[in-house]
Amino acid sequence: MINIDVDKMLDIVNKNSDYTKVAEYILGKSDYTFSLEQAKNIAKYLIMEQKYTKEDLLQGKADDYIQKRAQAKLVELKSVRQKDEERAEVPLKSFKHSISKDEIKRFIILITGLAATVTILGIKNYEFEEEKMKSETSANLGYLASEVGSDIYDSKSNIVYQSALENKDPNTNEFISQSESLANNIIDVCIKDPSLFDITIFDTYYNIQFNRIDKLSETWGYLQKYMANDEAFFELLNTKLNSSFLNYILNMLETSGEIKIGSTDYENYRSAIEEYQKANKYEKLTGEAKVTLREMMDKYHNLGNNLYKENNKKIKNLVEEQKDGFGGRS
C-alpha cells in the first residue's frame, strides 16, 4: 500500500500551477523568446530564490529582470538562427478546471514508478544552479563597482544598471555618457583585482540590452584613456587594451582554443572587424559582416560558463572583504 500525503501533494501541485501561470506571463512579456521549460525555470528562480510572490510577478515587479533575460536569449538565438528560419512557437496550455484529491491520488499512484528518475517539478538542478551562480556573480561585480552603504550599493544591481543611474562625473558633476559611466564601473572592479577584467567585460557585455558592440567599443576607448594614466593598469593596457574591443574578443577566442590563427573563421572575423573599424557602427555594416560578427560573439558567449566558474568565488570573497572593511555591514 502506498502512503500518500495528499495535503503535501496538493501543495506541490498548487506551486506548480503558480509556476505555470507565471511562466505564461513571462512568455507573453518576452514575446515567446523562451521555451515553456525555460520560462518555468525562470519563474521558479524568481519565486524560490528571489522570494517574489506569484502576485508580485503578475503585477510586473520583476519585468526588468525578465526583459534583460529575454534580450540575452535573443542575442543567443540570433547568433545561431538562419535569417529565413522561423521559430516554432508552442502555446502554453493551462489547466482550466480544479483538481480533486481523488484525481490527485490516482495521478500520483500512476506516476509512482517513475518517481525515482523524474521529479514532479521537473527542475534541472544543474541549470538552475548555474543560473543562480551567474546572477549572484553579476550582482557581486556590481557591489565591487560601488561604495558600501551608498544607494547604488543597496540597489543590488549589476554594472550596466548602475551605469545608467550614475550619469554624472563625480568630480565635475557634469553629465556623462553611459559608456563613460560603464568604464568607471569596470575600472572600480579592476582596482580591487585587475585579474577580474575578462569576467567583468563579459558580464557587462551580456547585461547590455541594445547595441552591445557599439556600446562596448565606445566604453573601450574610455578604458584605454583612463587606464593609461595609472601604472597599476599598465599590464592590462599591454595585454588586453592594446587594440580594439572586437580584436580583444578575437584574441580571447584564440587563447581559449575556440578558433585557430589562420583558420577560415579567424580570417573571416578579422575582415569583419576591419570593416567595423572603418564604419564605427554596427548598423552601417554589410549583411555578411553583421552575420560574421554575430557568429564570433556567439563563440564568445560559449566562454561564459568557465569565466563565471573560475571567478565567482574570488569575487564573492572580495565582496566580503569590502563589507568587512566598511565595518561588517551586510
Side-chain angles (χ1 to χ4, degrees), residues 70-97:
Q71 287 297 326
K73 186 64 179 175
L74 275 174
V75 169
E76 180 183 347
L77 290 172
K78 288 178 181 177
S79 297
V80 298
R81 189 183 300 140
Q82 297 295 325
K83 288 189 295 183
D84 58 347
E85 182 181 351
E86 295 182 359
R87 181 172 75 248
E89 297 181 4
V90 179
L92 181 69
K93 296 180 180 178
S94 304
F95 287 110
K96 299 297 183 182
H97 62 283

mmCIF file of all heavy atoms in Angstrom, residues 70-97:
data_model
loop_
_atom_site.group_PDB
_atom_site.id
_atom_site.type_symbol
_atom_site.label_atom_id
_atom_site.label_comp_id
_atom_site.label_asym_id
_atom_site.label_seq_id
_atom_site.Cartn_x
_atom_site.Cartn_y
_atom_site.Cartn_z
ATOM 1 N N ALA A 70 15.434 38.107 -21.552
ATOM 2 C CA ALA A 70 14.938 37.926 -22.915
ATOM 3 C C ALA A 70 15.904 38.504 -23.930
ATOM 4 O O ALA A 70 16.148 37.904 -24.981
ATOM 5 C CB ALA A 70 13.558 38.579 -23.066
ATOM 6 N N GLN A 71 16.481 39.663 -23.627
ATOM 7 C CA GLN A 71 17.439 40.274 -24.549
ATOM 8 C C GLN A 71 18.677 39.400 -24.715
ATOM 9 O O GLN A 71 19.185 39.218 -25.820
ATOM 10 C CB GLN A 71 17.853 41.662 -24.033
ATOM 11 C CG GLN A 71 16.774 42.722 -24.183
ATOM 12 C CD GLN A 71 16.429 42.976 -25.633
ATOM 13 O OE1 GLN A 71 17.292 42.899 -26.500
ATOM 14 N NE2 GLN A 71 15.176 43.276 -25.895
ATOM 15 N N ALA A 72 19.175 38.841 -23.599
ATOM 16 C CA ALA A 72 20.339 37.954 -23.677
ATOM 17 C C ALA A 72 20.021 36.711 -24.504
ATOM 18 O O ALA A 72 20.829 36.239 -25.306
ATOM 19 C CB ALA A 72 20.779 37.548 -22.270
ATOM 20 N N LYS A 73 18.803 36.187 -24.337
ATOM 21 C CA LYS A 73 18.402 34.997 -25.081
ATOM 22 C C LYS A 73 18.255 35.311 -26.561
ATOM 23 O O LYS A 73 18.622 34.498 -27.416
ATOM 24 C CB LYS A 73 17.073 34.468 -24.528
ATOM 25 C CG LYS A 73 16.631 33.126 -25.134
ATOM 26 C CD LYS A 73 17.611 32.019 -24.780
ATOM 27 C CE LYS A 73 17.171 30.690 -25.351
ATOM 28 N NZ LYS A 73 18.168 29.637 -25.128
ATOM 29 N N LEU A 74 17.744 36.501 -26.879
ATOM 30 C CA LEU A 74 17.588 36.884 -28.277
ATOM 31 C C LEU A 74 18.931 36.944 -28.984
ATOM 32 O O LEU A 74 19.065 36.515 -30.134
ATOM 33 C CB LEU A 74 16.891 38.248 -28.373
ATOM 34 C CG LEU A 74 15.369 38.234 -28.321
ATOM 35 C CD1 LEU A 74 14.837 39.653 -28.266
ATOM 36 C CD2 LEU A 74 14.787 37.494 -29.522
ATOM 37 N N VAL A 75 19.941 37.475 -28.301
ATOM 38 C CA VAL A 75 21.280 37.540 -28.900
ATOM 39 C C VAL A 75 21.784 36.134 -29.197
ATOM 40 O O VAL A 75 22.331 35.846 -30.253
ATOM 41 C CB VAL A 75 22.260 38.272 -27.964
ATOM 42 C CG1 VAL A 75 23.699 38.105 -28.447
ATOM 43 C CG2 VAL A 75 21.911 39.743 -27.906
ATOM 44 N N GLU A 76 21.568 35.241 -28.245
ATOM 45 C CA GLU A 76 21.996 33.849 -28.435
ATOM 46 C C GLU A 76 21.266 33.204 -29.614
ATOM 47 O O GLU A 76 21.875 32.540 -30.457
ATOM 48 C CB GLU A 76 21.723 33.056 -27.153
ATOM 49 C CG GLU A 76 22.137 31.602 -27.231
ATOM 50 C CD GLU A 76 21.784 30.846 -25.961
ATOM 51 O OE1 GLU A 76 21.446 31.501 -24.961
ATOM 52 O OE2 GLU A 76 21.843 29.612 -25.984
ATOM 53 N N LEU A 77 19.946 33.435 -29.698
ATOM 54 C CA LEU A 77 19.166 32.834 -30.774
ATOM 55 C C LEU A 77 19.556 33.404 -32.129
ATOM 56 O O LEU A 77 19.702 32.675 -33.107
ATOM 57 C CB LEU A 77 17.671 33.071 -30.534
ATOM 58 C CG LEU A 77 17.035 32.309 -29.359
ATOM 59 C CD1 LEU A 77 15.622 32.801 -29.122
ATOM 60 C CD2 LEU A 77 17.034 30.810 -29.620
ATOM 61 N N LYS A 78 19.738 34.712 -32.206
ATOM 62 C CA LYS A 78 20.087 35.347 -33.469
ATOM 63 C C LYS A 78 21.454 34.919 -33.963
ATOM 64 O O LYS A 78 21.746 34.946 -35.148
ATOM 65 C CB LYS A 78 20.029 36.866 -33.321
ATOM 66 C CG LYS A 78 18.624 37.410 -33.200
ATOM 67 C CD LYS A 78 18.632 38.911 -32.998
ATOM 68 C CE LYS A 78 17.214 39.438 -32.857
ATOM 69 N NZ LYS A 78 17.193 40.898 -32.596
ATOM 70 N N SER A 79 22.312 34.526 -33.041
ATOM 71 C CA SER A 79 23.656 34.116 -33.418
ATOM 72 C C SER A 79 23.668 32.789 -34.158
ATOM 73 O O SER A 79 24.568 32.508 -34.933
ATOM 74 C CB SER A 79 24.539 33.997 -32.165
ATOM 75 O OG SER A 79 24.672 35.243 -31.551
ATOM 76 N N VAL A 80 22.676 31.951 -33.902
ATOM 77 C CA VAL A 80 22.692 30.606 -34.480
ATOM 78 C C VAL A 80 21.572 30.368 -35.484
ATOM 79 O O VAL A 80 21.591 29.390 -36.219
ATOM 80 C CB VAL A 80 22.605 29.531 -33.365
ATOM 81 C CG1 VAL A 80 23.788 29.624 -32.452
ATOM 82 C CG2 VAL A 80 21.313 29.680 -32.559
ATOM 83 N N ARG A 81 20.588 31.285 -35.542
ATOM 84 C CA ARG A 81 19.452 31.050 -36.422
ATOM 85 C C ARG A 81 19.698 31.645 -37.802
ATOM 86 O O ARG A 81 20.187 32.750 -37.935
ATOM 87 C CB ARG A 81 18.197 31.687 -35.802
ATOM 88 C CG ARG A 81 16.916 31.319 -36.530
ATOM 89 C CD ARG A 81 15.738 32.042 -35.921
ATOM 90 N NE ARG A 81 15.590 31.689 -34.536
ATOM 91 C CZ ARG A 81 15.272 32.554 -33.597
ATOM 92 N NH1 ARG A 81 15.086 33.809 -33.883
ATOM 93 N NH2 ARG A 81 15.156 32.160 -32.361
ATOM 94 N N GLN A 82 19.383 30.913 -38.830
ATOM 95 C CA GLN A 82 19.493 31.441 -40.191
ATOM 96 C C GLN A 82 18.482 32.558 -40.381
ATOM 97 O O GLN A 82 17.440 32.608 -39.736
ATOM 98 C CB GLN A 82 19.219 30.333 -41.223
ATOM 99 C CG GLN A 82 20.220 29.193 -41.164
ATOM 100 C CD GLN A 82 21.613 29.654 -41.538
ATOM 101 O OE1 GLN A 82 21.754 30.516 -42.388
ATOM 102 N NE2 GLN A 82 22.613 29.090 -40.915
ATOM 103 N N LYS A 83 18.778 33.472 -41.298
ATOM 104 C CA LYS A 83 17.928 34.637 -41.486
ATOM 105 C C LYS A 83 16.489 34.258 -41.829
ATOM 106 O O LYS A 83 15.540 34.898 -41.413
ATOM 107 C CB LYS A 83 18.499 35.508 -42.609
ATOM 108 C CG LYS A 83 19.766 36.242 -42.232
ATOM 109 C CD LYS A 83 20.156 37.244 -43.306
ATOM 110 C CE LYS A 83 20.501 36.530 -44.589
ATOM 111 N NZ LYS A 83 20.956 37.478 -45.633
ATOM 112 N N ASP A 84 16.328 33.210 -42.634
ATOM 113 C CA ASP A 84 14.983 32.864 -43.080
ATOM 114 C C ASP A 84 14.356 31.744 -42.265
ATOM 115 O O ASP A 84 13.320 31.212 -42.616
ATOM 116 C CB ASP A 84 15.017 32.445 -44.554
ATOM 117 C CG ASP A 84 15.961 31.267 -44.792
ATOM 118 O OD1 ASP A 84 16.749 30.952 -43.879
ATOM 119 O OD2 ASP A 84 15.900 30.685 -45.890
ATOM 120 N N GLU A 85 14.999 31.394 -41.159
ATOM 121 C CA GLU A 85 14.480 30.299 -40.339
ATOM 122 C C GLU A 85 13.440 30.844 -39.380
ATOM 123 O O GLU A 85 13.640 31.866 -38.735
ATOM 124 C CB GLU A 85 15.628 29.673 -39.529
ATOM 125 C CG GLU A 85 15.206 28.491 -38.672
ATOM 126 C CD GLU A 85 16.384 27.929 -37.890
ATOM 127 O OE1 GLU A 85 17.501 28.356 -38.150
ATOM 128 O OE2 GLU A 85 16.149 27.081 -37.038
ATOM 129 N N GLU A 86 12.333 30.176 -39.273
ATOM 130 C CA GLU A 86 11.271 30.617 -38.391
ATOM 131 C C GLU A 86 11.257 29.784 -37.128
ATOM 132 O O GLU A 86 11.502 28.584 -37.148
ATOM 133 C CB GLU A 86 9.907 30.509 -39.082
ATOM 134 C CG GLU A 86 9.774 31.445 -40.294
ATOM 135 C CD GLU A 86 8.388 31.347 -40.908
ATOM 136 O OE1 GLU A 86 7.580 30.561 -40.393
ATOM 137 O OE2 GLU A 86 8.146 32.053 -41.893
ATOM 138 N N ARG A 87 10.952 30.442 -36.000
ATOM 139 C CA ARG A 87 10.884 29.728 -34.731
ATOM 140 C C ARG A 87 9.472 29.196 -34.525
ATOM 141 O O ARG A 87 8.499 29.923 -34.656
ATOM 142 C CB ARG A 87 11.245 30.687 -33.581
ATOM 143 C CG ARG A 87 11.214 30.030 -32.218
ATOM 144 C CD ARG A 87 11.762 30.963 -31.148
ATOM 145 N NE ARG A 87 10.820 32.002 -30.802
ATOM 146 C CZ ARG A 87 10.981 33.272 -31.073
ATOM 147 N NH1 ARG A 87 12.040 33.674 -31.731
ATOM 148 N NH2 ARG A 87 10.084 34.179 -30.707
ATOM 149 N N ALA A 88 9.375 27.928 -34.203
ATOM 150 C CA ALA A 88 8.073 27.339 -33.917
ATOM 151 C C ALA A 88 7.655 27.738 -32.513
ATOM 152 O O ALA A 88 8.386 27.546 -31.567
ATOM 153 C CB ALA A 88 8.158 25.818 -34.029
ATOM 154 N N GLU A 89 6.489 28.311 -32.395
ATOM 155 C CA GLU A 89 6.005 28.738 -31.097
ATOM 156 C C GLU A 89 4.915 27.777 -30.632
ATOM 157 O O GLU A 89 3.937 27.539 -31.328
ATOM 158 C CB GLU A 89 5.458 30.157 -31.173
ATOM 159 C CG GLU A 89 6.530 31.174 -31.550
ATOM 160 C CD GLU A 89 5.973 32.577 -31.608
ATOM 161 O OE1 GLU A 89 4.777 32.732 -31.281
ATOM 162 O OE2 GLU A 89 6.703 33.492 -31.980
ATOM 163 N N VAL A 90 5.104 27.256 -29.433
ATOM 164 C CA VAL A 90 4.139 26.308 -28.880
ATOM 165 C C VAL A 90 3.343 27.038 -27.804
ATOM 166 O O VAL A 90 3.904 27.506 -26.822
ATOM 167 C CB VAL A 90 4.861 25.094 -28.247
ATOM 168 C CG1 VAL A 90 3.830 24.131 -27.662
ATOM 169 C CG2 VAL A 90 5.727 24.406 -29.297
ATOM 170 N N PRO A 91 2.042 27.200 -27.983
ATOM 171 C CA PRO A 91 1.246 27.930 -26.998
ATOM 172 C C PRO A 91 1.223 27.195 -25.665
ATOM 173 O O PRO A 91 1.226 25.967 -25.606
ATOM 174 C CB PRO A 91 -0.149 27.972 -27.640
ATOM 175 C CG PRO A 91 -0.176 26.832 -28.607
ATOM 176 C CD PRO A 91 1.233 26.689 -29.110
ATOM 177 N N LEU A 92 1.253 27.973 -24.606
ATOM 178 C CA LEU A 92 1.218 27.409 -23.265
ATOM 179 C C LEU A 92 -0.176 26.882 -22.953
ATOM 180 O O LEU A 92 -1.162 27.541 -23.210
ATOM 181 C CB LEU A 92 1.608 28.495 -22.255
ATOM 182 C CG LEU A 92 1.651 28.101 -20.786
ATOM 183 C CD1 LEU A 92 2.816 27.145 -20.556
ATOM 184 C CD2 LEU A 92 1.816 29.343 -19.923
ATOM 185 N N LYS A 93 -0.222 25.698 -22.407
ATOM 186 C CA LYS A 93 -1.504 25.106 -22.034
ATOM 187 C C LYS A 93 -1.671 25.169 -20.522
ATOM 188 O O LYS A 93 -0.766 24.835 -19.778
ATOM 189 C CB LYS A 93 -1.585 23.654 -22.499
ATOM 190 C CG LYS A 93 -1.556 23.498 -24.029
ATOM 191 C CD LYS A 93 -1.641 22.049 -24.435
ATOM 192 C CE LYS A 93 -1.610 21.894 -25.956
ATOM 193 N NZ LYS A 93 -1.656 20.496 -26.376
ATOM 194 N N SER A 94 -2.805 25.617 -20.080
ATOM 195 C CA SER A 94 -3.075 25.718 -18.649
ATOM 196 C C SER A 94 -4.251 24.835 -18.280
ATOM 197 O O SER A 94 -5.123 24.568 -19.100
ATOM 198 C CB SER A 94 -3.406 27.168 -18.269
ATOM 199 O OG SER A 94 -2.365 28.021 -18.660
ATOM 200 N N PHE A 95 -4.279 24.376 -16.993
ATOM 201 C CA PHE A 95 -5.437 23.633 -16.515
ATOM 202 C C PHE A 95 -6.619 24.595 -16.396
ATOM 203 O O PHE A 95 -6.489 25.697 -15.884
ATOM 204 C CB PHE A 95 -5.156 23.019 -15.138
ATOM 205 C CG PHE A 95 -4.205 21.858 -15.204
ATOM 206 C CD1 PHE A 95 -2.921 21.971 -14.693
ATOM 207 C CD2 PHE A 95 -4.595 20.662 -15.783
ATOM 208 C CE1 PHE A 95 -2.053 20.900 -14.749
ATOM 209 C CE2 PHE A 95 -3.725 19.590 -15.844
ATOM 210 C CZ PHE A 95 -2.445 19.715 -15.332
ATOM 211 N N LYS A 96 -7.769 24.196 -16.890
ATOM 212 C CA LYS A 96 -8.947 25.050 -16.863
ATOM 213 C C LYS A 96 -9.938 24.619 -15.784
ATOM 214 O O LYS A 96 -10.977 25.218 -15.626
ATOM 215 C CB LYS A 96 -9.647 25.022 -18.228
ATOM 216 C CG LYS A 96 -8.778 25.523 -19.373
ATOM 217 C CD LYS A 96 -8.396 26.978 -19.197
ATOM 218 C CE LYS A 96 -7.593 27.467 -20.391
ATOM 219 N NZ LYS A 96 -7.169 28.856 -20.228
ATOM 220 N N HIS A 97 -9.603 23.554 -15.028
ATOM 221 C CA HIS A 97 -10.551 23.107 -14.011
ATOM 222 C C HIS A 97 -9.787 22.759 -12.740
ATOM 223 O O HIS A 97 -8.587 22.514 -12.767
ATOM 224 C CB HIS A 97 -11.325 21.876 -14.492
ATOM 225 C CG HIS A 97 -10.442 20.690 -14.747
ATOM 226 N ND1 HIS A 97 -9.655 20.578 -15.875
ATOM 227 C CD2 HIS A 97 -10.211 19.581 -14.002
ATOM 228 C CE1 HIS A 97 -8.987 19.426 -15.821
ATOM 229 N NE2 HIS A 97 -9.300 18.819 -14.706
#
